[in-house]
């Protein structure tokens, strides 16, 4: 057994000097700095060395200087990185950390969002869906235009496209920078779009609802990956005859179905008895699946909202409500705020329901509290208008966003102090220049058809625009157009 009598303690080793000879140029740093590269990086294994016996690395010293600067400060001196620096980071297994640092979610500020990049798409079809992959590569995004899915890397410097068998893509989920999932109404299966980086992109695999191979995809959501659980995809399917529907959970490691949730059958002409979910969201902090869908008929719009604890039951939701008066145009869930939010299809106002107070079937007590203009909401609903029909709502971190035609409003939770104590309320503001329908060039803004949030970014797709807008709030945001 080797003697450890003269071995330095861990605390001494973490502050000891490491001398490196990189391509003939000497660098000096500490073992603690190199350890920030992570256990998978060869840099983390380099121990202290004297100046007369440095570690030798046969690499470009100019590029290594940028790598070392990033390890010391946690950020790049002049983002975005060049293709050469990205390749060097990949050599040292640092590309994940480097890319994630460019748009960290911690720097997201909705009131600081500004347009920073315009990503043109090939072809003549405008984008129908956009998605941003989750951490750690939060800024990489994918866009669907026609039957094509295009993936942009986290620095928006390069792109890869793949043609799917779908003519038009309605639903898109970015699981990771290497995997996106696409679905379409009236066309079977969930298409797996792979972007491996070191090989051609492919879209040759598909996932199906086991009991109905001809079923089409209405909505999708993915759980966050963890060390203890597999990552699941939840996909809402409807059969080709539209007489049955279900949410199916697939294990994305094995690509096999593991659970069927809330199967519905339509009997006769009673379509409202089995409205399929067209909006799925996963609340990781609550282990709940939000499934919502609506139907517009002669009597008006009717919708169902259900919350599922898939660990407890796949046939009985933990909470459900049937929406009739001012049914939702769109609904979203917030983990951090422990609440559901909806935009009324009639009123266009925003409503909130506290997840901690939901119980039963939601029929005896109205769970919604209007956080907008309550008087206007009541008056507009009574007049049977449809002011919120084209609105979208989404939750990201501690904020709630509402897309109204061409512009975006944001709701923030604030604390109000009074003699009775402190209470929390939601306050509205605008992203960018607010509800101005005219751009700086004097052109009218186009309606938002899809959007996504991730890292410090918001991505928008507008009707008839063959490009993706990227808005960023990070101090090191990318500027210019591609």
């Amino acid at each position: 057994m080797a003697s450890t009598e003269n071995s330095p303690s861990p605390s001494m080793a973490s502050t000891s000097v490491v001398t490196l000879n990189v391509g003939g140029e000497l660098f000096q740093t500490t073992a603690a700095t190199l350890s920030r590269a992570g256990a998978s990086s060869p840099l983390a294994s380099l121990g202290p060395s004297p100046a007369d016996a440095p570690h030798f690395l046969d690499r470009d010293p100019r590029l290594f200087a940028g790598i070392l600067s990033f390890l010391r400060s946690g950020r790049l001196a002049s983002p975005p990185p060049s293709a050469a620096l990205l390749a060097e980071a990949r050599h040292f297994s640092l590309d994940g950390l480097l890319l994630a640092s460019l748009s960290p979610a911690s720097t997201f500020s909705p009131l600081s969002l500004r347009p920073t990049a315009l990503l043109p798409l090939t072809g003549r079809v405008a984008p129908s869906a956009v998605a941003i992959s989750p951490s750690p590569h939060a800024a990489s995004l994918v866009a669907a235009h026609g039957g094509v899915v295009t993936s942009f890397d986290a620095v928006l410097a390069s792109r890869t496209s793949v043609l799917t068998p779908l003519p038009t893509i309605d639903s898109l989920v970015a699981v990771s920078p290497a995997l996106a999932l696409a679905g379409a109404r009236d066309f079977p299966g969930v298409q797996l779009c792979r972007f491996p980086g070191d090989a051609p992109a492919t879209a040759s695999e598909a996932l199906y609802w086991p009991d109905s191979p001809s079923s089409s995809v209405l909505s999708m959501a993915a759980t966050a990956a963890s060390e203890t659980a597999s990552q699941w995809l939840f996909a809402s399917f409807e059969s080709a005859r539209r007489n049955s529907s279900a949410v199916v959970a697939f294990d994305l490691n094995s690509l096999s179905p593991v659970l069927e949730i809330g199967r519905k059958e339509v009997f006769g002409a009673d379509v409202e008895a089995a409205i399929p979910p067209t909006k799925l969201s996963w609340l990781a902090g609550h282990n709940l699946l939000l499934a919502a869908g609506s139907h517009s008929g002669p009597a008006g719009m009717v919708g169902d909202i259900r919350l599922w604890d898939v660990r407890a039951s796949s046939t009985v939701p933990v909470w459900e409500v049937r929406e009739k008066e001012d049914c939702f145009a769109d609904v979203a869930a917030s983990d951090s705020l422990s609440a559901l939010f909806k935009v009324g299809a009639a009123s266009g106002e925003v409503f909130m329901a506290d997840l901690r107070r939901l119980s039963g079937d939601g029929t005896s007590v109205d769970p919604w509290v209007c956080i907008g203009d309550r008087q206007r909401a009541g008056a507009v609903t009574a007049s049977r208008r449809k002011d919120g029909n084209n609105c979208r709502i989404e939750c990201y971190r501690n904020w709630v966003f509402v897309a109204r035609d061409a512009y975006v409003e944001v709701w923030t939770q604030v604390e109000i102090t009074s003699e009775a104590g402190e209470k929390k309320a939601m306050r509205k503001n605008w992203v960018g220049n607010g509800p101005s329908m005219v751009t700086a060039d004097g052109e009218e803004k186009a309606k938002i058809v899809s959007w996504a949030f991730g890292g410090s970014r918001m991505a928008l797709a507008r009707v008839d625009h063959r490009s993706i807008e990227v808005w960023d709030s990070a101090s090191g945001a990318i500027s210019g157009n591609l």
Side-chain angles (χ1 to χ4, degrees):
M1 180 181 295
S3 173
T4 58
E5 182 178 354
N6 297 322
S7 300
S9 65
S11 60
M12 292 175 59
S14 65
T15 58
S16 298
V17 174
V18 180
T19 304
L20 304 170
N21 179 348
V22 182
E25 187 172 329
L26 292 179
F27 292 84
Q28 285 192 320
T29 184
T30 65
T33 296
L34 295 178
S35 68
R36 294 171 188 162
S40 62
S41 173
L43 295 176
S45 63
L46 299 178
S49 57
D52 57 350
H55 298 285
F56 178 74
L57 301 177
D58 190 15
R59 309 299 300 177
D60 188 330
R62 295 171 300 175
L63 294 175
F64 186 80
I67 296 293
L68 189 56
S69 175
F70 169 71
L71 291 176
R72 286 168 173 162
S73 64
R75 61 181 183 275
L76 289 172
S78 56
S82 64
L85 185 59
L86 277 174
E88 192 71 1
R90 191 172 299 113
H91 172 80
F92 289 112
S93 300
L94 274 169
D95 52 319
L97 290 175
L98 188 148
L99 294 176
S101 73
L102 297 176
S103 61
S106 60
T107 65
F108 183 85
S109 174
L111 299 184
S112 299
L113 283 168
R114 295 293 182 270
T116 54
L118 188 65
L119 310 177
L121 299 171
T122 58
R124 299 182 179 181
V125 182
S128 57
V130 62
I132 299 180
S133 62
S135 181
H137 303 275
S140 57
L141 63 90
V142 291
H145 44 116
V148 177
V149 176
T150 297
S151 173
F152 297 87
D153 66 12
V155 295
L156 310 180
S158 63
R159 70 187 73 193
T160 305
S161 296
V162 61
L163 178 63
T164 73
L166 305 174
T168 301
I169 294 168
D170 302 313
S171 185
L172 188 66
V173 171
V175 178
S176 70
L179 178 62
L181 307 169
R185 295 174 181 266
D186 299 324
F187 291 91
V190 177
Q191 297 296 320
L192 278 71
C193 305
R194 299 188 182 276
F195 304 93
D198 54 352
T202 61
S204 57
E205 302 170 82
L207 305 177
Y208 296 96
W209 182 16
D211 288 353
S212 179
S214 63
S215 56
S216 60
V217 182
L218 302 179
S219 179
M220 293 185 291
T223 66
S226 67
E227 296 180 357
T228 57
S230 300
Q231 189 169 12
W232 282 12
L233 166 74
F234 295 101
S236 174
F237 288 96
E238 185 178 45
S239 64
R241 296 177 59 189
R242 288 182 169 83
N243 60 353
S244 60
S245 63
V247 176
V248 180
F250 294 89
D251 187 320
L252 288 179
N253 292 326
S254 63
L255 300 181
S256 59
V258 293
L259 189 65
E260 183 182 79
I261 304 165
R263 185 187 182 103
K264 299 178 182 179
E265 303 286 346
V266 177
F267 298 99
D270 191 9
V271 178
E272 293 181 358
I275 300 173
T278 54
K279 179 68 175 282
L280 298 177
S281 296
W282 173 251
L283 288 82
H286 294 76
N287 284 303
L288 291 175
L289 174 68
L290 166 68
S294 60
H295 170 76
S296 182
M301 183 174 286
V302 178
D304 292 327
I305 301 176
R306 291 178 169 86
L307 292 174
W308 298 88
D309 184 344
V310 295
R311 302 165 303 174
S313 173
S314 60
T315 57
V316 180
V318 296
W319 180 82
E320 62 180 324
V321 65
R322 167 59 63 95
E323 295 270 297
K324 291 184 178 179
E325 185 176 348
D326 203 9
C327 179
F328 60 89
D330 196 11
V331 62
S334 172
D335 243 339
S336 56
L337 298 177
S338 296
L340 299 180
F341 295 88
K342 77 166 184 175
V343 180
S347 67
E349 296 295 336
V350 181
F351 296 79
M352 175 180 179
D354 193 331
L355 282 174
R356 295 162 294 189
R357 297 181 180 179
L358 299 182
S359 61
D361 59 5
T363 58
S364 57
V365 179
D366 185 0
W368 299 108
V369 175
C370 181
I371 60 176
D373 189 330
R374 299 181 186 179
Q375 292 184 345
R376 180 185 176 280
V380 173
T381 302
S383 65
R384 295 185 177 274
R385 287 161 58 180
K386 297 182 179 180
D387 288 359
N389 236 6
N390 295 320
C391 293
R392 299 171 179 271
I393 190 167
E394 198 60 68
C395 299
Y396 181 58
R397 293 173 63 82
N398 296 323
W399 298 279
V400 182
F401 296 86
V402 179
R404 299 187 183 277
D405 290 324
Y407 54 92
V408 178
E409 69 183 32
V410 56
W411 291 82
T412 307
Q413 189 177 71
V414 297
E415 292 186 355
I416 301 175
T417 304
S418 63
E419 295 181 358
E422 291 186 353
K423 66 177 183 178
K424 295 182 178 180
M426 300 295 292
R427 290 292 181 261
K428 181 178 72 173
N429 216 313
W430 301 104
V431 174
N433 297 326
S436 171
M437 293 296 292
V438 179
T439 67
D441 299 329
E443 296 182 358
E444 186 174 309
K445 290 183 179 179
K447 184 180 73 174
I448 297 169
V449 296
S450 182
W451 59 350
F453 297 86
S456 62
R457 292 173 176 165
M458 173 179 71
L460 302 176
R462 298 185 185 271
V463 64
D464 296 331
H465 283 213
R466 294 192 294 271
S467 59
I468 301 296
E469 290 180 25
V470 178
W471 295 53
D472 208 313
S473 60
S475 57
I478 299 172
S479 61
N481 298 340
L482 293 183

